[in-house]
Structures are given as C-alpha cells and as structure tokens.
Amino acid sequence: MSKKLYVGNLSWSSTEAEVRTAFEAFGQVTSVKLVEDRETGRPRGFGFVEMDDAGAREAIAALDGKDFGGRNLKVNEAKPREERPRW
C-alpha cells in the first residue's frame, strides 16, 4: 500500500527529479507532483510524493524540518482535499 505525503516550503527552483531523489533514499517513490500556479505557471512551493508505507514513515521522520535547497522542509501525511464551493 502506498501513502501520499505533503511536502511544503520547497524553494521555487526545486524540481520533481530533485524531490524524487531525496525521497528515494527511504523507499520506492511511485509519483512526485509539484504544484504550479494556474495563471503564471510558476511553482507554488509545495507538492506531493506518493511512496510505500514504510518508506513514507522513514521519510517523514528524516526529512521534516531538514534543509533542502536552502529551506526547511515540511513533510507530513497528506490530508484529503476539502470540498470548497464553486462560484
């Protein structure tokens, strides 16, 4: 079973390949998605990593609060997206 992790406080210059490499040290990474602004296409400084359960727990313990690209990462288990009204 895989777990989806939230990865926050990424530098805007971070790439999906760099994030994948950092998380692969703790287990098999299924997917990496860095979120971009719809209007400008610029990175928004956060993303999601999907990986195996055991590796996810290790990655959270090892990477949360650690320096990555000059910024301290925020890594935790992703929560389901809340429904918001559409206007």
Side-chain angles (χ1 to χ4, degrees), residues 5-82:
L5 304 178
Y6 166 83
V7 184
N9 204 29
L10 289 166
S11 72
W12 288 356
S13 63
S14 296
T15 66
E16 288 184 2
E18 291 171 335
V19 173
R20 179 180 290 275
T21 300
F23 280 82
E24 281 179 336
F26 304 99
Q28 182 179 358
V29 174
T30 308
S31 68
V32 176
K33 175 67 179 144
L34 300 185
V35 179
E36 296 177 345
D37 185 275
R38 273 181 261 203
E39 310 270 325
T40 64
R42 288 180 52 180
R44 296 205 38 213
F46 71 95
F48 298 93
V49 174
E50 193 171 348
M51 64 188 304
D52 64 89
D53 280 345
R57 285 190 296 276
E58 288 181 41
I60 291 170
L63 295 175
D64 188 38
K66 298 296 185 217
D67 181 76
F68 183 81
R71 303 187 68 169
N72 293 332
L73 288 182
K74 178 67 180 159
V75 182
N76 55 37
E77 191 172 338
K79 297 180 176 109
R81 188 173 181 172
E82 292 181 13

